[in-house]
Amino acid sequence: MAYRHPRPPQKPAPHIALWMLRLITAPEGLQKFVRTTGFANDRLAFALGLDHWIDPEDRPFHPQTVRSELYGLLAQAEQDGTQALLPTPLQGNVQRLAALVGLSAVDAQILAFAVCLHTDQLLDDAADLLDAVSSTQVIQTLALLVQAPDAQVRQALGSQGLLARSGLVVLDQRGIGSLKNKLDLLSHSFADQMVAGDADPIALLRGKIAPAAHGRLALADYGHIQPTLDIAQPWLRHALGTQRRGVNLLIYGAPGTGKTELARALAHDLGCELFEVASEDEDGDPINGHHRLRALRTAQSFLAQRRALLLFDEVEDVFTESPLQRSTAQSHKAWLNRALEDNPVPTLWLSNSVDGVDAAFIRRFDMVFELPMPPRRQRQRIVQAHCDTLLDAPALARVAQAEHLAPAVVARASTVAQAMLAEVGRAASASAFEQLVSHTLQAQGHRPLLRHDPHRLPEVYDPAFLHADTDLVQLAQGLAAAQGSGGASGARLCLYGPPGTGKTAFGRWLAEQLDRPLLVRRASDLLSMYVGQAEKNIARAFREAEDEGALLLIDEVDSFLQDRRGAQRSWEVTQVNEMLTQMEGFAGVFIASTNLMGGLDPAALRRFDLKVRLDYLRQDQAWALLLRHCAQLGLPTPGAPEQARLARLRQLTPGDFAAVLRQQRFRPLTRAQALVDALEAECALKPGDSRAIGFV
């Protein structure tokens, strides 16, 4: 009787037929395949040339004879083993991978079988005769199929074997399952690529790693971490040149600081390839930490012979723990420790924070460093490099004021704006650039670009209009002389007094006299609802000022330097301790401003080199300042009545004049009397007590 299946299968290739016969003639396979009255799978029987036993008309089905015939077919296949060579594409790909990863002959045979098992339906059907198998049974079956001792197969599929370490074939140790499901391949598409034609080894890693995109930035954009780069560059160059193992750098910093761009710039500078460990699979779905570690292990095996760096971004997927769940790193601690000590490809690990990383892991990295936002001086260089022909000097300075401006944001916005230049012109392109930057900053939760410099001094500014108990001009000259002498130029000043008396403005003026940028931080910038974060913010402010060579002014410093003897919470003490520590170690000029001098910690008061009180204006200062403002506004010169009214304002400050001048924009003043009226209105809002809380 003819084979009744509507589409009989094609005859298998010799290597497939050999494996099928080895599976079927195994005791368990033979028992299930050859039944009393026929075959368990007629397709397999037809493929092996046993179709004459499928519902024969001239003789009954004879199991013993069928078994003997199967043994004969196996013997013939074994004898013709030279004809059972792998097809050329598969053979070539297996050989390339064997050379790349260092596979043994047994490893290569197991790899070839696993690929065929995932691509050939007949072979999969033959394997299904075994039903569900355990890991031990898998090893025994593979030993039979590749004609190798059990011990060699067990070693090949062990966690330290090259098949597992490379991710090419991983034995699923969990429970029982079909032979196919117990042998996990590199990726979903791996088997198909292996049999389709000559495969690029890197292409086989799709969904595991990918070549990094070209960077937009150069190392010159990272001048604010130059001392760190002076270590990282020669260390990586040495590692690449000597093929040193166990080289790992952990780079952390807030999102947008340019960590990925830095990795790309380093690779470009070192003249090597950069590959990124994927965070998404081939289907675009997120990959969990466990599978990302497997991808890393695979990449290390595939790239060991190439001059390359590996990039593992978002390490939080692996290292971060929660109260309810151990991190992937902790679950694979021994393996990860070995990986950090023995990886053949230098690896850059990127994270937004190291707070959740176990110290035991941190100490295994060769370098651990933070990538902060560039200081203003560096930001200005970055903006100028990308937009030199686009923005004028005031615009450059204005954009550089944005403290959270990342290099990548500048690069992307510049690309868009430059592309518009020919069509819309320079002015519109420049405006578009600022708009793009501003919108990105807002989307990141930061302030948009300011249209003016908030620390710009008024045109009529003169320290002579500050009522201080110290000669401020002489103070500036002394600091400048100390700075120019090459000696110790550091200074810690405390400015105190009522609000509006010009403390912040003096800091700006002093920075200009010393030819230094000004870095202003208020309590709202530094305080945090999270325990320990305020201390980090304080440390970061001092570090930024040091990196930029800036004069650091912290307003409302009483928020951090309250007398510790009255502290009720531990963090109130730690904030004071952190501020004192940073003050002691800061080599630049530091100004603290407050109007609550009486509440400061005694230890803090001792650490200030000079304490300067700024008070309400003297009568002569108030009159001179009124005359100057009237001249600036084009108002008639005030007379004796205005002078008498001004003399009665005992709580008048330079800040009051500044407030009235801002009102002039929308409520123009035409007479000196109106200017005095406005000053009186400002003073009338003040409480009688001159120690009211507030800062300028």
Side-chain angles (χ1 to χ4, degrees):
M1 185 176 178
Y3 182 71
R4 296 179 300 177
H5 196 278
R7 297 184 63 183
Q10 295 181 349
K11 297 295 182 181
H15 66 290
I16 299 294
L18 178 59
W19 282 329
M20 290 170 59
L21 287 166
R22 286 174 178 173
L23 284 167
I24 290 172
T25 57
E28 185 177 354
L30 195 61
Q31 182 180 0
K32 292 185 177 179
F33 180 59
V34 183
R35 298 176 177 176
T36 305
T37 59
F39 298 107
N41 189 316
D42 288 350
R43 286 175 54 82
L44 291 179
F46 186 92
L48 293 172
L50 299 172
D51 49 296
H52 54 280
W53 285 106
I54 301 173
D55 297 329
E57 296 180 350
D58 55 344
R59 55 179 172 171
F61 188 82
H62 196 278
Q64 188 62 40
T65 304
V66 173
R67 293 189 186 101
S68 297
E69 194 168 338
L70 280 168
Y71 287 131
L73 290 172
L74 174 62
Q76 185 63 47
E78 298 284 6
Q79 186 177 353
D80 299 337
T82 56
Q83 300 178 16
L85 296 175
L86 299 175
T88 300
L90 178 58
Q91 181 73 23
N93 289 331
V94 169
Q95 289 176 349
R96 275 189 288 274
L97 290 179
L100 181 66
V101 180
L103 301 179
S104 68
V106 173
D107 294 332
Q109 292 180 67
I110 293 174
L111 172 61
F113 171 78
V115 168
C116 292
L117 183 62
H118 282 74
T119 56
D120 193 284
Q121 186 61 55
L122 288 172
L123 185 58
D124 186 26
D125 288 346
D128 281 344
L129 293 172
L130 303 179
D131 292 331
V133 291
S134 65
S135 297
T136 300
Q137 290 171 315
V138 171
I139 292 171
Q140 294 170 346
T141 301
L142 288 176
L144 171 68
L145 290 168
V146 303
Q147 303 288 280
D150 286 11
Q152 290 187 21
V153 176
R154 185 175 294 105
Q155 183 179 10
L157 290 175
S159 59
Q160 296 305 306
L162 288 176
L163 288 175
R165 288 170 59 187
S166 64
L168 291 170
V169 183
V170 178
L171 175 61
D172 186 353
Q173 300 285 354
R174 301 169 298 177
I176 60 176
S178 69
L179 185 60
K180 181 179 177 178
N181 290 335
K182 293 287 285 184
L183 296 175
D184 190 13
L185 296 183
L186 182 63
S187 66
H188 297 309
S189 62
F190 174 73
D192 291 332
Q193 293 183 74
M194 288 287 288
V195 300
D198 293 347
D200 177 9
I202 302 303
L204 294 173
L205 293 175
R206 188 175 60 187
K208 300 289 184 181
I209 66 168
H214 293 294
R216 297 172 176 266
L217 306 176
L219 288 184
D221 294 314
Y222 294 90
H224 54 296
I225 59 164
Q226 192 58 52
T228 299
L229 294 178
D230 289 341
I231 301 172
Q233 287 173 275
W235 175 236
L236 290 172
R237 191 173 291 110
H238 167 78
L240 291 166
T242 62
Q243 296 185 319
R244 187 182 182 94
R245 304 177 75 89
V247 175
N248 297 275
L249 279 65
L250 176 59
I251 307 170
Y252 67 97
T257 51
K259 298 183 293 293
T260 302
E261 286 289 334
L262 173 60
R264 295 168 180 171
L266 279 169
H268 182 269
D269 178 75
L270 296 167
C272 65
E273 300 174 282
L274 178 67
F275 295 90
E276 298 184 43
V277 177
S279 57
E280 297 180 346
D281 61 19
E282 298 168 280
D283 300 322
D285 297 322
I287 303 176
N288 60 32
H290 171 72
H291 286 91
R292 294 194 72 201
L293 283 181
R294 283 185 55 183
L296 173 68
R297 182 170 59 181
T298 298
Q300 292 286 351
S301 298
F302 273 56
L303 303 175
Q305 305 303 317
R306 302 174 75 127
R307 182 177 172 85
L309 297 177
L310 262 174
L311 172 63
F312 195 112
D313 203 352
E314 300 177 6
V315 303
E316 296 87 347
D317 293 349
V318 172
F319 288 108
T320 301
E321 296 204 0
S322 70
L324 302 177
Q325 187 176 6
R326 297 178 69 193
S327 69
T328 303
Q330 287 292 350
S331 302
H332 301 78
K333 192 170 184 176
W335 177 88
L336 189 56
N337 285 340
R338 286 195 302 270
L340 290 173
E341 294 170 355
D342 197 45
N343 55 301
V345 183
T347 304
L348 308 177
W349 304 71
L350 309 185
S351 176
N352 294 330
S353 172
V354 293
D355 291 343
V357 183
D358 192 322
F361 291 124
I362 290 181
R363 64 172 175 260
R364 295 181 182 274
F365 289 93
D366 303 296
M367 292 185 66
V368 180
F369 62 91
E370 182 181 10
L371 182 60
M373 285 292 181
R376 179 170 53 186
R377 186 164 48 190
Q378 182 66 15
R379 293 196 303 269
Q380 187 151 349
R381 283 197 291 266
I382 294 171
V383 176
Q384 188 167 8
H386 288 276
C387 307
D388 189 36
T389 61
L390 196 64
L391 304 180
D392 56 21
L396 283 171
R398 185 169 58 249
V399 174
Q401 288 285 341
E403 297 175 1
H404 298 281
L405 182 63
V409 174
V410 175
R412 292 190 183 95
S414 172
T415 299
V416 176
Q418 296 285 0
M420 298 170 54
L421 187 59
E423 184 174 344
V424 301
R426 182 173 179 269
S429 296
S431 177
F433 172 81
E434 292 192 56
Q435 187 176 357
L436 291 168
V437 170
S438 193
H439 288 174
T440 301
L441 290 172
Q442 285 183 287
Q444 294 175 328
H446 309 306
R447 295 175 183 172
L449 292 180
L450 299 174
R451 303 306 301 178
H452 65 283
D453 183 356
H455 307 302
R456 182 172 58 88
L457 289 172
E459 296 180 10
V460 298
Y461 186 83
D462 189 332
F465 294 128
L466 301 183
H467 184 190
D469 61 0
T470 298
D471 189 324
L472 300 179
V473 175
Q474 189 178 40
L475 171 62
Q477 292 171 346
L479 290 172
Q483 181 177 270
S485 67
S489 59
R492 293 166 291 196
L493 311 178
C494 180
L495 307 181
Y496 67 100
T501 50
K503 297 182 287 293
T504 301
F506 173 72
R508 179 66 166 176
W509 178 82
L510 181 60
E512 290 184 357
Q513 302 308 301
L514 300 178
D515 193 24
R516 293 190 178 198
L518 176 68
L519 183 64
V520 179
R521 290 291 183 269
R522 293 180 170 80
S524 58
D525 301 321
L526 303 178
L527 290 173
S528 173
M529 62 183 292
Y530 301 106
V531 176
Q533 187 59 49
E535 292 88 332
K536 294 181 181 179
N537 293 341
I538 293 170
R540 185 179 294 110
F542 278 91
R543 185 171 63 249
E544 288 177 4
E546 187 167 353
D547 291 342
E548 193 171 344
L551 185 154
L552 174 62
L553 189 151
I554 296 184
D555 211 347
E556 303 169 300
V557 75
D558 47 274
S559 301
F560 306 101
L561 292 180
Q562 288 292 326
D563 195 333
R564 287 169 291 182
R565 293 172 297 182
Q568 298 181 354
R569 304 173 183 85
S570 61
W571 53 263
E572 293 176 326
V573 175
T574 59
Q575 287 181 7
V576 175
N577 292 340
E578 183 63 36
M579 180 66 77
L580 296 180
T581 299
Q582 294 298 331
M583 287 172 59
E584 288 182 339
F586 186 58
V589 178
F590 169 59
I591 296 179
S593 69
T594 180
N595 69 315
L596 296 177
M597 196 67 170
L600 297 189
D601 191 275
L605 292 175
R606 292 194 300 269
R607 284 169 168 80
F608 287 110
D609 303 313
L610 185 65
K611 293 172 276 289
V612 180
R613 176 173 175 84
L614 279 75
D615 214 333
Y616 298 114
L617 292 171
R618 301 190 309 268
Q619 290 187 20
D620 61 311
Q621 290 176 314
W623 176 244
L625 199 54
L626 179 67
L627 293 174
R628 179 165 297 191
H629 276 83
C630 286
Q632 181 190 9
L633 298 173
L635 304 179
T637 303
E642 287 77 31
Q643 187 174 9
R645 292 171 59 190
L646 204 65
R648 291 193 290 270
L649 301 178
R650 303 295 185 184
Q651 297 181 346
L652 194 61
T653 68
D656 297 326
F657 281 91
V660 172
L661 200 62
R662 291 193 298 270
Q663 296 171 16
Q664 169 70 14
R665 295 174 298 163
F666 52 85
R667 194 177 66 174
L669 301 172
T670 57
R671 300 179 302 148
Q673 296 93 320
L675 179 54
V676 177
D677 291 342
L679 292 171
E680 289 176 336
E682 290 293 325
C683 289
L685 297 174
K686 299 178 183 181
D689 190 346
S690 63
R691 297 170 296 173
I693 299 175
F695 303 94
V696 174

